[in-house]
Structures are given as C-alpha cells and as structure tokens.
Amino acid sequence: MAAGRPAIVPRVNDQLRRRSVGAPAARSVLLTILGEYVLPASGGAWQESLIGALGTLGYKTHAARQALARSVSAGWLATERHGRRSRVHLTPETADMLRSGAARIYSFGEPWEWDGRWLLVVLRVPEERREVRHRMRTRLAWAGFGSLGGGLWISPHVARERELADAGGDEPGAELVSFHGGLGALGDPARVVAEAWDLEAVADAYRAFTARFGRMTPRGPEAVFRAQTLLVHEWRKFPFLDPDLPDGMLPARWPRKRAHDLFHERHAAWQDEARAWFAALDDGGDGAVRPSRGRSGRRAA
C-alpha cells in the first residue's frame, strides 16, 4: 500500500470535516478550543471558561451557550453539576475524534513517498437519489479525491480506501467500486491533475493564510490565545482542501511548504502562553465574556 497519510475512521472524518471547512461558527471554533486546550489537559473545563474563551474570540454569550448546548445534545460533551456551576467533559468518542484529527492536522504537509499507484473509485447512485449523490460527491471531495467526471474519482493515497469502506452502508442506494493502478501511456498526467482538482484555489488559500499569520504579532496572553486558536482553526482546513499530491505533480512554487513552516513556527512560539492563559481562566479566572465587535458578532485577533 502506498506510503502517505494515515486514514481516519470514516465517521470521525465526517464530524471533523463538517466543522473544519466553512464559516467559523461558534461550534466550529469550540471544536478547535476543545482539541487545542481541553484535550491535552484534563479533558474537562468549566462551562464559564469555554464561554469566556469564545467571548475573547468575539462570540456573543448567546452564541457561545448555544454552541455548548448543541455540543452536549450531539454527544460531544457530557456535563457535571457542581452547585450552580457546570463542568463539561469530552466524551470518549469526542476525545478519539480530536486525537485522530490532531494526528492528521499536525502531520499534514510533511513529505511522503508515492509508489505511483492511484486509487480509482467509481460512484454509482440511482438517478432519482440526487441528494445521496450530492452527499457522496461531497464526501469524496473532502477526502481529497478529484473528479474526472462520469462518476470516476481518483486519489494518489491508496490508504484512503479504508475511509470509504462504510460509505455504502451510510448512504443507502450508493455503491462504490475501487481499483488500484498506474496511469498508462495515453493522456497527459498534468492535464488529468488540472481537471481533477482546482489547485489554484488551494494555492490562494495558502497565500492568504501566510499573509494573515505571517504579519500577526500578538501582545499579551489573551492576544496570544486568540492568535493561536485562529491559527489552528485556519490550518485544520487544509487537510480537507488540499489533495496532498506528490511533489512531482504540483505546480511550480507551490505555496504549501511556506504555509506549513509558518504554522509550525507560530504554533511552537505561541503554544505555552496560549495554554497558560486558558488554564488560568479555567483554574480561577473570571470567565467573563468579552464584548463582541462589529455586526458579525466576531472580532479579529
């Protein structure tokens, strides 16, 4: 099997991708806070601390409380009453999801060796099941597959076949057939890649990431916490946006390495101070929700 990124349990991957790609709603940012600060510590935090952390990121009290309530209802978190206060804990399933997500996020962008084999997947869905077809196409795209049309999807990561093992059972009416193989003498590999993936859009996302965090200079523990959380939150999108093609298939001056190096440099520089700020908040900080700015209910780092 080709060397590459480790596969993630399908249901875990589904949960993470939904909260990683798209607008940074309060519940999505809460997931980042849980993975970055709660999981490495005790696995639990005061409800007021999480509301305060979301507050310093610009989310209003109502949005923060709603994000927590929905996370409890979804089984992400369990609550424990201590008088008038509530302590929330990661459920075992959520802890596993966050560990798997962290493994993918922090290893992403590292060099890997490709043995030249492609994973080809044929998607078959009855014409009348259009909603199933849409969900399956979205699932394949989020797993890094590129579409060649006609229901044919490709990826250089043969190991990702395991991520799709239960897809048919999850989506009644959908059928997947997979093949392993190399590209033959017919066709231009560069054109195949260009048709399957919008690499320019991915490159633009990397450049925007580098521009934003390359000039960010937070001062003070709270600002560092905010910067670190946003850094991780934005970086965690890339394993779902970037198909992680072999180096030989990438355009010249591909910007991922610069973004990758910046992420790890900033993360290492800010990690201790950011975690110390959250720990102090949870150990006895006031848990106050900072006022939001702007009509969006969020403020920048």
Side-chain angles (χ1 to χ4, degrees), residues 81-285:
R81 295 294 299 181
H82 290 260
R84 298 179 63 183
R85 305 179 73 193
S86 290
R87 187 92 178 157
V88 296
H89 298 274
L90 301 174
T91 62
E93 294 77 14
T94 301
D96 287 344
M97 178 185 75
L98 293 173
R99 290 189 193 98
S100 297
R104 186 166 190 165
I105 291 166
Y106 292 108
S107 67
F108 182 76
E110 299 292 336
W112 64 286
E113 295 183 4
W114 185 49
D115 65 2
R117 290 190 302 162
W118 291 90
L119 171 62
L120 292 87
V121 174
V122 178
L123 171 63
R124 296 173 177 170
V125 181
E127 181 63 31
E128 64 272 13
R129 303 299 298 276
R130 294 182 180 180
E131 73 288 351
V132 173
R133 182 183 294 106
H134 172 73
R135 287 196 296 269
M136 289 301 301
R137 286 173 175 172
T138 301
R139 184 168 184 169
L140 286 162
W142 272 333
F145 285 79
S147 173
L148 295 180
L152 180 61
W153 296 74
I154 63 172
S155 170
H157 295 277
V158 177
R160 292 185 182 175
E161 187 174 29
R162 296 197 297 271
E163 294 186 28
L164 303 175
D166 297 330
D170 291 345
E171 295 288 358
E175 179 184 1
L176 294 175
V177 181
S178 61
F179 303 86
H180 301 172
L183 192 64
L186 303 178
D188 179 5
R191 184 173 179 179
V192 170
V193 169
E195 290 179 354
W197 292 281
D198 185 358
L199 293 182
E200 188 55 38
V202 178
D204 287 345
Y206 277 128
R207 295 186 190 105
F209 177 90
T210 302
R212 179 182 184 185
F213 293 100
R215 62 173 177 258
M216 192 175 287
T217 55
R219 294 179 175 85
E222 183 177 343
V224 171
F225 166 82
R226 186 161 54 245
Q228 177 81 332
T229 306
L230 294 173
L231 177 81
V232 175
H233 188 74
E234 291 302 314
W235 179 255
R236 81 178 203 202
K237 298 177 181 180
F238 287 110
F240 303 101
L241 297 175
D242 185 347
D244 196 17
L245 299 174
D247 288 344
M249 295 182 181
L250 294 172
R253 297 182 295 277
W254 184 243
R256 180 176 60 203
K257 186 178 188 305
R258 185 180 176 190
H260 168 272
D261 292 348
L262 176 69
F263 168 74
H264 286 280
E265 175 191 328
R266 293 289 193 267
H267 188 274
W270 295 339
Q271 177 175 264
D272 290 346
E273 193 168 5
R275 289 185 175 178
W277 183 88
F278 183 82
L281 182 69
D282 198 49
D283 286 343

Side-chain angles (χ1 to χ4, degrees), residues 38-52:
V38 177
L39 179 67
S42 64
W46 293 109
Q47 178 176 291
E48 295 89 344
S49 301
L50 294 173
I51 293 172

Side-chain angles (χ1 to χ4, degrees), residues 63-81:
R65 291 189 182 280
Q66 188 176 63
L68 279 166
R70 289 179 175 176
S71 297
V72 171
S73 297
W76 287 15
L77 299 170
T79 59
E80 183 180 61
R81 295 294 299 181

